[in-house]
Amino acid sequence: MKVFITGGCGFVGEHTAAALLEAGHQVFLYDSLFNSCPETLEALRRITGERLPFEQGDIRNGERLLQTLKAFGPDVVFHFAAFKSISESFQKPLDYYDVNVSGTLTLLKAMRACGLKRLVFSSTVGVYPENAPSPCPETVAAAAPHPYGETKVMIERLLSRLGDSDPDLSSVILRFCNPAGAHPSGLLGEKARQPQGNLFPRIWQAARGELPQVEIFGGDYPTPDGTAVRDYLHIMDLAEGCVKAAEYSLGHQGTEIFNLGSGAGASVLSVLRACERAAGRCIPFRIARRRPGDRPEFIAATGKAESILGWKARRGLDEICQDAWRYESHRN
Ligand SMILES: NC(=O)c1ccc[n+]([C@@H]2O[C@H](COP(=O)([O-])OP(=O)(O)OC[C@H]3O[C@@H](n4cnc5c(N)ncnc54)[C@H](O)[C@@H]3O)[C@@H](O)[C@H]2O)c1
């Protein structure tokens, strides 16, 4: 399979590229490097022994996308390029709709002009409403409580409408839970330039002494230790799920949605303790007030991905933390 990846140098893109190459597929990376860096290409070469074709470009640049897609001629397009911070999306909604929604429209037009019919799209479990059940199945209606999630809902709906208009199209929508961890080589990992609100980057910053402490938002939730419970997924499990989705799309027509999560919950405090075990040091933390809109627990129902894609997360929290720390403890 020939796979074209937008956002190919980002956290999800680089690990998915590694998993695709390991499964014997060909990969082309397209990225503006807005939130990533070219060192990813060298890391991928060291892991896979291959120098990957890469084009630095914006997904809103239709002409460049068109020429690059035409030249590579992929079987499947993975669309990962996006802005992804919930808090930032409240401050910069225009940028989020522009990159996420307009960027996707430009990509879809370029795909149509090249006759490309298969897309794997990275959505998020952030599209589920605040009162969604946990575990949450794909059948729960999307109603994102923030602009970032709304951009994903808009694209999901657009893909569904497109599928109705052209029976040959295949769109596989993957709603990711919280990916964490790193490639076991220690060469790839999360190195975002954008401001980070996510838990793991803050924990590692505190572990390296770059943050005085980790703020844990809410210690009085109705959960076993009072901190919020989330579904964390090893980034290599997620990457392998993306490979399965692409293989599935080859024989699929229409629009299909899958949650990709571990199907298990971990509290924020248990994550911090697992990080301490992996790093072999205490990580200071402070319980702060709950953040508005945060729910006590969210776990994804993953039965659909298991039964249709034949995919299930295999790695646990300790492996996530050990692999992430191997990367974090050596990065500059
Ligand atoms: N990481 C998560 O926690 C998470 C969770 C759920 C869903 N997702 C989704 O998965 C996808 C990938 O996320 P990620 O964690 O790899 O993010 P990331 O920021 O690490 O990677 C995104 C990549 O897209 C690139 N990019 C951004 N704007 C671009 C543009 N206009 N043109 C071309 N490239 C552009 C960035 O440079 C970056 O390399 C995103 O669509 C995100 O919404 C991520």
Side-chain angles (χ1 to χ4, degrees):
M1 214 172 26
K2 293 173 82 176
V3 182
F4 183 91
I5 309 181
T6 74
C9 295
F11 181 45
V12 170
E14 62 182 5
H15 288 86
T16 302
L20 282 163
L21 290 164
E22 193 167 313
H25 303 299
Q26 286 180 55
V27 174
F28 191 107
L29 305 181
Y30 186 92
D31 200 302
S32 66
L33 300 181
F34 174 83
N35 197 35
S36 50
C37 52
E39 286 75 34
T40 292
L41 299 166
E42 176 55 19
L44 281 167
R45 192 195 61 73
R46 285 176 64 191
I47 291 168
T48 64
E50 283 187 46
R51 192 171 291 281
L52 293 192
F54 166 70
E55 175 79 13
Q56 182 170 359
D58 198 293
I59 48 166
R60 292 163 296 177
N61 183 338
E63 193 49 37
R64 176 167 296 182
L65 258 182
L66 185 65
Q67 295 312 329
T68 317
L69 281 169
K70 257 189 194 158
F72 182 60
D75 301 299
V76 182
V77 173
F78 277 35
H79 181 30
F80 295 152
F83 287 175
K84 62 168 182 178
S85 159
I86 291 173
S87 54
E88 193 183 52
S89 74
F90 282 106
Q91 293 148 12
K92 300 180 177 173
L94 200 54
D95 294 350
Y96 272 68
Y97 287 94
D98 186 33
V99 170
N100 295 8
V101 181
S102 298
T104 303
L105 286 173
T106 308
L107 172 67
L108 290 170
K109 285 184 198 161
M111 285 177 64
R112 186 176 60 186
C114 299
L116 301 175
K117 301 276 186 182
R118 291 171 210 300
L119 180 78
V120 176
F121 172 63
S122 56
S123 187
T124 168
V125 292
V127 299
Y128 292 119
E130 277 171 22
N131 61 355
S134 177
C136 181
E138 292 85 349
T139 44
V140 170
H146 39 76
Y148 163 62
E150 245 168 36
T151 65
K152 298 290 185 180
V153 175
M154 287 173 79
I155 300 162
E156 288 192 3
R157 294 204 174 124
L158 167 65
L159 292 176
S160 168
R161 294 286 187 203
L162 266 182
D164 294 344
S165 73
D166 181 350
D168 292 337
L169 276 184
S170 164
S171 294
V172 182
I173 295 169
L174 302 177
R175 291 179 177 162
F176 298 155
C177 287
N178 303 294
H183 191 272
S185 64
L187 294 169
L188 298 176
E190 196 168 8
K191 48 189 158 312
R193 286 187 196 158
Q194 269 189 298
Q196 287 289 331
N198 288 353
L199 177 64
F200 274 93
R202 288 189 286 118
I203 290 181
W204 301 129
Q205 280 178 308
R208 287 194 301 263
E210 294 160 14
L211 260 189
Q213 60 196 0
V214 180
E215 284 201 313
I216 294 181
F217 300 106
D220 56 355
Y221 284 111
T223 58
D225 63 21
T227 64
V229 168
R230 294 287 177 271
D231 186 329
Y232 297 97
L233 174 69
H234 196 297
I235 187 69
M236 289 312 300
D237 277 328
L238 181 149
E240 288 162 12
C242 291
V243 176
K244 291 279 189 192
E247 291 168 351
Y248 167 77
S249 81
L250 289 183
H252 163 259
Q253 285 166 330
T255 308
E256 206 64 62
I257 300 178
F258 298 96
N259 289 336
L260 289 193
S262 68
S267 74
V268 174
L269 200 54
S270 69
V271 168
L272 187 119
R273 297 296 183 213
C275 291
E276 288 185 325
R277 285 195 294 280
R281 61 185 72 171
C282 284
I283 302 174
F285 69 93
R286 178 180 87 83
I287 302 286
R289 280 205 304 198
R290 294 180 184 193
R291 284 184 302 201
D294 272 358
R295 43 194 158 199
E297 175 182 304
F298 184 88
I299 300 170
T302 53
K304 186 175 176 188
E306 199 176 336
S307 62
I308 299 182
L309 298 180
W311 172 87
K312 191 173 169 26
R314 298 184 286 131
R315 300 159 176 92
L317 187 58
D318 279 317
E319 194 169 345
I320 288 178
C321 297
Q322 286 154 11
D323 286 343
W325 182 245
R326 190 175 306 115
Y327 173 76
E328 292 288 337
S329 55
H330 289 106
R331 65 186 290 203
N332 303 319

